[in-house]
Amino acid sequence: MALNIFKKLFGSRNERLLKQYRKKVQQINALEDTFAQLSDEDLKAKTDAFKQQIADGMSLDQLLPEAFAVVREAGKRVMGMRHYDVQLIGGMALHDGKIAEMRTGEGKTLVATLPAYLNALAGNGVHVITVNDYLASRDAEWMSQLYGFLGLTTGVILSGQPASEKQAAYNADITYGTNNEFGFDYLRDNMAIFVEERVMRGQPFAIVDEVDSILIDEARTPLIISGPAEDKSELYQKMNPLVQGLERGEEDLETKTASGDYTIDEKTKQIHLTDEGHSKVEAMLVEIGLLNEGDSLYDAEHISLMKYVNASLRAHLLFEKNTDYIVQDNEVVIIDEFTGRKMAGRRWGDGLHQAVEAKEGVAIQAESQTYASITFQNYFRQYDKLSGMTGTADTEAGEFLSTYQLEVVVIPPNKTPLRQDLPDLVFLDIEGKLNAIVRDIKAMKESGQPILIGTASIEMSEVLSSLFEKEGIKHSVLNAKQHEREANIIADAGRPGAITIATNMAGRGTDIVLGGNLESELEALDNPTDEQIAEVKAAWQKRHDEVLEKGGLMVLGSERHESRRIDNQLRGRSGRQGDPGVTRFYLSLDDDLMRRFASEKVKNMMRRLGMKSDEAIEHNMVSKSIERAQKQVERMHQDERANLLKFDNIANEQRKVVYSQRNELMEEEDVSEIVDSLRANVIESIMANYIPPGSIEEQWDVAGLEKQLQDDLGHTLPIQQWLEEDKGLFEEKLRERLVDEVKALYQTKMAVVDEKTRHHFEKEVLLRTIDKQWREHLNEMDYLRRWIHLKGFAQKDPFQEYRSTAADMFEAFLDEVMFETVQTLSMVQIQGVDDVDAYEQQQIDERPQALEATHPAAQGIADAMGMPSGEAEAEPTEKEGTYRREAPKVGRNDPCPCGSGKKYKQCCGKLS
């Protein structure tokens, strides 16, 4: 009550905003005559003058009236189109970072030119985002005439475009493209190794066309870049015979020597090659062509081979058939060591599973691995300023505000709408509904009124099409498969007698003009004469007037959708720019939504009352009840999206940290201080396991520390001798000496290359290690999402468990990056610049050449949260169950799960 009184006194928030905008419209209109008198050169010169004013400290808001007036005048001269006052209001709403809801046919494409021009003057670029490549190309080509006239450049990004073309497009003042491609380019840029590989230059300001489709309908669907994970089938097969020529030995702890070619630590399931074993393995690798004579496994270009050697040895010597796994249907299936059950779909990581497959002679399966992913929610929230436009946003205004901080402004139409929305017709069953649609279409067809039939699915469009064919009804079918063809057919759907069946989104972004699309007809003429042009225009005008007399476009909905917004999108096809039109929905009690609203009891009652299959109920009460049901479903979907976003925000926080640090590293010339810091941390961590902080000398395990440094870093350091020679070498001083000695050994090794080459090498090792561990972490996080809902059965909050576990996993990820970077730099053998080049080439060769950018439905995430996937249509690209570990990742500094009392990194997590 109080709210209603307030609105009567002061107006609604929307009315107050429109009042403010109308005052600025008056300022713009006051400049129109002045700017109309300017020459083309003087009008173009305004752009440079505006840029200078911005450089002098003037804000974009202060420039808005003049800038909008310039764009309006340029539109009249270049395109023969004058921005309406309501289009100016829409442009102001977009500039303010809001969503402009404008009815279909109000010229939203032209509206975007106003804020795009104004914000491009700042020099940071503007992204205009739409739903498919066709619309992006069309709008960029169309509006580039206007921008070019005013001295601004326009670019367009498309899927499959070369990086050089994309860089040029992003460096343009205004860049058009699809939501998918902008998101994928963001992910690709954060996978680049060199600064020159990146194409984007930030995310300053975005104008999102069809904003409800992109930010609401696709909000639960992540963008994923994936590729093959270690698909080295031939390499695993070549490694398979290695174990046959090796002999097991035993380690003498007193003399610190080992016999044989390798030793096995049964407790930690690790294998260590002796010096003699290394020599034998290298000789075997020379025989099979993986090493050249005289090469070492620790040469820069061969160091990654150790992973495959180790995986093959472990597969043969530590994992037994029918104990650790079985072979079933030509596949290796893991056996749970505790339950003895088969773990179908699960795979060991680090190449072990492929090595076991090679051992058993079954097909070596290439795994798909996620390299990068992000949801649209988190991608678009990164823009400094975000805005959007659509014909239907008000019903989702609450979600836009809570998720994106985007306020919806409903812009009034340029002309008063004359469309008539008839009450719904409700039939007993689907058969009766379809018969009624066919019957009514045949009757309306005789009048010549154009008809658009909207369906919720491709299946329904095909069913209706087959029924129309049987009745001899000529029609066109659109089911969202070919965007360019869709737009052309939709553009002609307003011709007299045209009957078009279309799925919900088909042709969205293209107006249905009564009488047909005059522009496309004129473009189809080849060097037309004035007489031909006049003839085509006269014929179009005749058709246009004919359709107006028939009542405009008839829109018929074959069923109601779960969202009122989708229904309104379909209705919005009719009544463009004050044209007349009619809309009506045909429903049945068997429709999905009606089954939720009307129970079987209602259906039986209607039958008892004698209602027949092809009879219909028509009452506003029914329509209002359906709308109430739609609101309930909308709230349910909004809650699902909010919950999914809550979980994804955890991953997004980690993503931002990694990408930010990665970009800083990429731009650094010298990362030696970072490497020194990582080395000190690793040595301190190793030392803490054998010389606990604050302990007395009797508690020290010096021999264990010496062996661990040898195993992990390849350094033989006489620590016991140091202690005997220097009685004052206590814990802190010993740590400092260890760090200094290891650093000195590294610097001596790298002295064979110049400083610039060393810095480049260190940076590349660090970046590639981050990428490798990040991919592993993404797969661990995906696995975590899939099982975390089970915590609910233990009376625990899944979200709190997810957050705490994800934090532990992220800490473990950072530890792994630190340890592997230091280990690689310590173990690699560098003889000269050629070795550095060889390492770089090896990394390039191992880089996946066929990365796949996909936008699958978020089925896996929805399942993990215990929710239905809702609108999911696409299949996930990754096979169900291709996970990397048997259990959640254990942090390197956590106690080992085996119960040994050691930290995980010094026990089962130790790298041999």
Side-chain angles (χ1 to χ4, degrees):
M1 180 67 126
L3 181 62
N4 291 334
I5 295 174
F6 184 87
K7 285 183 178 179
K8 287 181 180 178
L9 291 174
F10 302 102
S12 66
R13 165 70 176 168
N14 199 79
E15 290 169 349
R16 295 197 300 275
L17 283 172
L18 293 177
K19 188 176 181 181
Q20 294 173 19
Y21 291 149
R22 287 189 179 107
K23 290 180 181 178
K24 290 185 180 180
V25 169
Q26 292 175 0
Q27 297 176 39
I28 298 167
N29 289 341
L31 296 169
E32 187 167 10
D33 291 339
T34 302
F35 283 4
Q37 297 172 13
L38 296 177
S39 67
D40 286 355
E41 289 70 25
D42 290 338
L43 193 63
K44 293 175 185 178
K46 283 289 183 181
T47 297
D48 290 334
F50 290 149
K51 289 181 178 179
Q52 185 58 50
Q53 287 175 290
I54 292 172
D56 293 339
M58 183 173 286
S59 70
L60 295 181
D61 290 343
Q62 291 172 306
L63 279 177
L64 187 148
E66 275 196 82
F68 276 30
V70 165
V71 176
R72 172 188 264 180
E73 183 60 31
K76 290 191 293 184
R77 298 186 189 188
V78 177
M79 309 177 73
M81 303 174 74
R82 178 185 180 275
H83 293 76
Y84 303 131
D85 287 358
V86 292
Q87 289 176 316
L88 298 177
I89 293 175
M92 293 176 208
L94 295 176
H95 170 69
D96 285 348
K98 303 182 189 302
I99 292 175
E101 176 176 301
M102 304 181 72
R103 289 173 65 102
T104 299
E106 293 294 307
K108 292 186 285 293
T109 305
L110 191 62
V111 169
T113 59
L114 297 161
Y117 172 79
L118 174 60
N119 285 268
L121 295 172
N124 298 320
V126 175
H127 295 170
V128 184
I129 301 166
T130 189
V131 292
N132 62 57
D133 282 345
Y134 166 73
L135 292 176
S137 300
R138 184 201 69 177
D139 293 352
E141 182 180 357
W142 188 14
M143 295 304 150
S144 64
Q145 305 171 58
L146 175 58
Y147 299 131
F149 176 81
L150 292 173
L152 297 183
T153 56
T154 309
V156 59
I157 59 164
L158 304 169
S159 57
Q161 202 172 25
S164 58
E165 291 183 14
K166 282 194 171 180
Q167 286 174 336
Y170 279 112
N171 286 326
D173 295 305
I174 298 157
T175 307
Y176 284 79
T178 66
N179 50 324
N180 282 2
E181 207 58 30
F182 277 106
F184 286 136
D185 284 343
Y186 168 77
L187 293 177
R188 293 186 193 105
D189 276 4
N190 284 287
M191 294 169 58
I193 294 296
F194 306 108
V195 174
E196 298 77 21
E197 293 178 350
R198 295 187 297 193
V199 296
M200 300 182 82
R201 57 171 178 143
Q203 293 158 292
F205 175 48
I207 302 171
V208 184
D209 194 10
E210 308 296 357
V211 66
D212 54 330
S213 171
I214 293 172
L215 298 190
I216 298 294
D217 295 336
E218 300 186 42
R220 299 177 348 178
T221 313
L223 294 169
I224 297 174
I225 292 182
S226 59
E230 306 296 349
D231 185 13
K232 300 283 185 179
S233 304
E234 185 179 353
L235 191 56
Y236 285 109
Q237 289 168 347
K238 286 184 176 181
M239 293 285 184
N240 197 42
L242 286 183
V243 71
Q244 297 173 6
L246 301 178
E247 295 180 2
R248 178 173 178 174
E250 296 296 334
E251 186 174 7
D252 189 329
L253 294 178
E254 291 185 7
T255 62
K256 300 175 186 175
T257 59
S259 60
D261 300 317
Y262 63 87
T263 59
I264 296 179
D265 188 335
E266 302 280 2
K267 188 175 183 180
T268 61
K269 280 201 167 186
Q270 295 295 332
I271 295 176
H272 301 287
L273 287 172
T274 63
D275 290 342
E276 187 177 345
H278 271 114
S279 298
K280 281 190 178 181
V281 167
E282 287 172 353
M284 294 178 191
L285 294 178
V286 170
E287 287 182 16
I288 60 179
L290 293 177
L291 285 181
N292 296 320
E293 190 71 40
D295 285 354
S296 167
L297 268 172
Y298 294 108
D299 287 345
E301 60 184 305
H302 303 307
I303 192 168
S304 63
L305 286 176
M306 277 303 301
K307 168 187 172 179
Y308 305 103
V309 170
N310 190 52
S312 183
L313 293 177
R314 293 181 70 207
H316 280 275
L317 301 172
L318 297 176
F319 289 80
E320 296 182 15
K321 184 177 179 180
N322 298 327
T323 299
D324 299 293
Y325 63 90
I326 62 171
V327 177
Q328 186 178 65
D329 297 329
N330 203 35
E331 290 186 4
V332 172
V333 181
I334 299 172
I335 299 295
D336 190 304
E337 62 178 313
F338 299 108
T339 65
R341 294 179 179 176
K342 294 183 294 184
M343 303 171 72
R346 297 278 289 280
R347 295 175 65 82
W348 290 303
D350 296 323
L352 177 60
H353 209 98
Q354 290 96 324
V356 174
E357 288 171 332
K359 167 189 170 183
E360 296 297 337
V362 301
I364 298 176
Q365 297 181 19
E367 297 180 12
S368 178
Q369 187 178 44
T370 298
Y371 282 66
S373 69
I374 194 170
T375 60
F376 281 131
Q377 291 165 318
N378 279 316
Y379 170 72
F380 282 105
R381 293 195 304 178
Q382 293 182 103
Y383 276 91
D384 298 334
K385 183 164 71 172
L386 180 65
S387 65
M389 50 189 183
T390 181
T392 49
D394 196 39
T395 57
E396 311 290 349
E399 185 169 357
F400 279 123
L401 190 60
S402 62
T403 301
Y404 303 99
Q405 288 72 57
L406 286 174
E407 184 177 8
V408 176
V409 181
V410 180
I411 313 295
N414 183 50
K415 295 181 180 179
T416 304
L418 301 176
R419 189 185 73 212
Q420 183 181 9
D421 296 326
L422 300 176
D424 301 337
L425 295 178
V426 183
F427 295 84
L428 194 61
D429 52 37
I430 290 180
E431 184 181 357
K433 176 181 73 173
L434 294 177
N435 290 336
I437 290 174
V438 173
R439 182 182 64 241
D440 291 352
I441 291 294
K442 288 178 70 175
M444 287 184 281
K445 179 176 177 292
E446 302 302 322
S447 69
Q449 184 178 21
I451 304 169
L452 175 70
I453 302 119
T455 67
S457 65
I458 293 175
E459 290 77 10
M460 179 56 73
S461 68
E462 291 173 347
V463 168
L464 282 172
S465 178
S466 64
L467 291 175
F468 285 6
E469 287 174 359
K470 289 179 181 178
E471 296 295 329
I473 301 174
K474 186 179 179 181
H475 63 284
S476 300
V477 181
L478 290 177
N479 48 28
K481 289 181 179 177
Q482 296 176 346
H483 297 302
E484 188 167 358
R485 180 173 174 271
E486 286 175 18
N488 291 336
I489 294 179
I490 281 290
D492 289 335
R495 284 176 172 268
I499 299 175
T500 309
I501 302 174
T503 51
N504 295 332
M505 301 304 295
R508 197 170 171 186
T510 306
D511 292 336
I512 297 178
V513 182
L514 300 187
N517 192 314
L518 176 60
E519 291 181 10
S520 62
E521 289 184 57
L522 293 174
E523 289 174 1
L525 298 176
D526 186 19
N527 296 322
T529 63
D530 291 340
E531 291 77 10
Q532 288 176 312
I533 293 175
E535 185 179 338
V536 170
K537 287 183 176 180
W540 175 85
Q541 188 63 52
K542 181 180 179 181
R543 295 196 307 270
H544 180 72
D545 294 340
E546 180 184 345
V547 174
L548 286 176
E549 291 176 9
K550 303 296 184 182
L553 178 67
M554 170 69 185
V555 170
L556 189 154
S558 64
E559 65 182 278
R560 285 286 200 119
H561 306 88
E562 290 185 341
S563 170
R564 292 167 295 159
R565 179 171 47 83
I566 307 298
D567 289 344
N568 290 337
Q569 288 170 7
L570 183 57
R571 284 196 179 104
R573 288 291 184 187
S574 182
R576 171 188 175 275
Q577 279 291 333
D579 288 339
V582 183
T583 69
R584 188 192 286 277
F585 281 88
Y586 285 62
L587 316 177
S588 84
L589 292 177
D590 290 333
D591 294 344
D592 290 340
L593 187 69
M594 294 298 290
R595 283 204 304 270
R596 299 185 190 187
F597 153 67
S599 65
E600 189 67 26
K601 290 182 180 178
V602 176
K603 192 172 183 179
N604 293 334
M605 181 187 68
M606 294 172 71
R607 280 180 176 145
R608 286 196 296 270
L609 292 174
M611 183 176 175
K612 298 179 181 179
S613 176
D614 57 353
E615 292 179 345
I617 297 174
E618 179 182 345
H619 200 284
N620 284 331
M621 182 183 71
V622 176
S623 298
K624 289 179 181 178
S625 298
I626 294 171
E627 189 172 329
R628 283 196 298 270
Q630 287 176 312
K631 288 180 180 178
Q632 292 176 353
V633 175
E634 287 168 7
R635 282 194 295 269
M636 180 186 71
H637 286 325
Q638 182 177 345
D639 290 343
E640 289 177 7
R641 287 190 290 265
N643 195 37
L644 288 166
L645 178 61
K646 185 171 68 170
F647 278 80
D648 190 61
N649 281 341
I650 304 297
N652 193 54
E653 290 170 7
Q654 298 179 359
R655 182 189 302 112
K656 287 193 290 188
V657 170
V658 172
Y659 285 176
S660 173
Q661 292 296 315
R662 194 182 183 284
N663 286 327
E664 287 182 18
L665 288 172
M666 198 186 309
E667 293 167 3
E668 288 284 345
E669 292 296 328
D670 179 5
V671 297
S672 56
E673 288 187 9
I674 297 172
V675 171
D676 289 344
S677 176
L678 296 180
R679 184 185 297 110
N681 287 336
V682 168
I683 292 173
E684 181 179 359
S685 177
I686 293 174
M687 183 175 166
N689 286 294
Y690 299 94
I691 301 180
S695 61
I696 59 176
E697 195 168 344
E698 286 73 15
Q699 295 175 302
W700 293 5
D701 180 5
V702 177
L705 176 58
E706 290 179 340
K707 183 178 183 303
Q708 199 63 52
L709 288 170
Q710 170 66 37
D711 290 343
D712 287 351
L713 304 182
H715 297 317
T716 303
L717 299 174
I719 301 174
Q720 186 62 51
Q721 182 180 331
W722 296 347
L723 293 171
E724 292 171 357
E725 293 173 350
D726 185 357
K727 299 300 181 181
L729 198 61
F730 296 114
E731 182 186 329
E732 187 60 36
K733 289 186 177 180
L734 177 59
R735 184 182 300 110
E736 291 175 1
R737 182 164 182 181
L738 278 174
V739 171
D740 291 342
E741 290 285 344
V742 173
K743 181 179 179 181
L745 289 169
Y746 173 71
Q747 289 177 334
T748 300
K749 175 176 67 176
M750 297 300 294
V752 297
V753 298
D754 61 85
E755 190 176 74
K756 183 177 179 181
T757 302
R758 177 167 65 87
H759 292 163
H760 175 79
F761 178 67
E762 289 172 342
K763 182 167 75 170
E764 186 162 349
V765 169
L766 182 53
L767 286 173
R768 292 191 185 281
T769 303
I770 290 172
D771 291 346
K772 175 187 172 185
Q773 292 298 334
W774 179 243
R775 293 195 296 269
E776 177 80 9
H777 180 68
L778 286 177
N779 285 319
E780 299 290 350
M781 290 287 284
D782 180 63
Y783 181 30
L784 177 66
R785 280 195 296 265
R786 290 174 183 267
W787 67 259
I788 199 67
H789 69 283
L790 298 175
K791 290 287 186 180
F793 294 112
Q795 304 302 311
K796 295 181 179 180
D797 182 356
F799 175 70
Q800 295 299 333
E801 292 294 312
Y802 180 80
R803 183 165 62 180
S804 62
T805 306
D808 293 340
M809 290 168 60
F810 190 65
E811 183 180 347
F813 153 74
L814 296 175
D815 283 345
E816 292 288 354
V817 169
M818 180 171 61
F819 182 82
E820 187 173 330
T821 300
V822 174
Q823 185 183 54
T824 301
L825 291 173
S826 297
M827 302 287 273
V828 69
Q829 294 179 358
I830 300 294
Q831 305 297 329
V833 177
D834 290 345
D835 289 331
V836 175
D837 294 339
Y839 174 83
E840 182 175 328
Q841 187 59 48
Q842 178 207 35
Q843 301 303 315
I844 292 173
D845 292 342
E846 291 195 352
R847 203 173 180 182
Q849 300 300 309
L851 290 178
E852 184 178 6
T854 54
H855 183 195
Q859 176 72 51
I861 300 176
D863 289 346
M865 302 305 125
M867 303 175 187
S869 62
E871 302 161 2
E873 292 179 359
E875 289 294 328
T877 58
E878 199 167 37
K879 284 186 178 180
E880 185 73 21
T882 55
Y883 313 126
R884 306 280 294 175
R885 293 183 187 269
E886 299 176 47
K889 193 171 187 175
V890 182
R892 287 183 54 75
N893 291 313
D894 292 345
C896 189
C898 74
S900 65
K902 289 186 178 182
K903 290 189 177 183
Y904 175 69
K905 63 186 176 185
Q906 298 301 336
C907 191
C908 297
K910 185 170 64 175
L911 298 177
S912 63

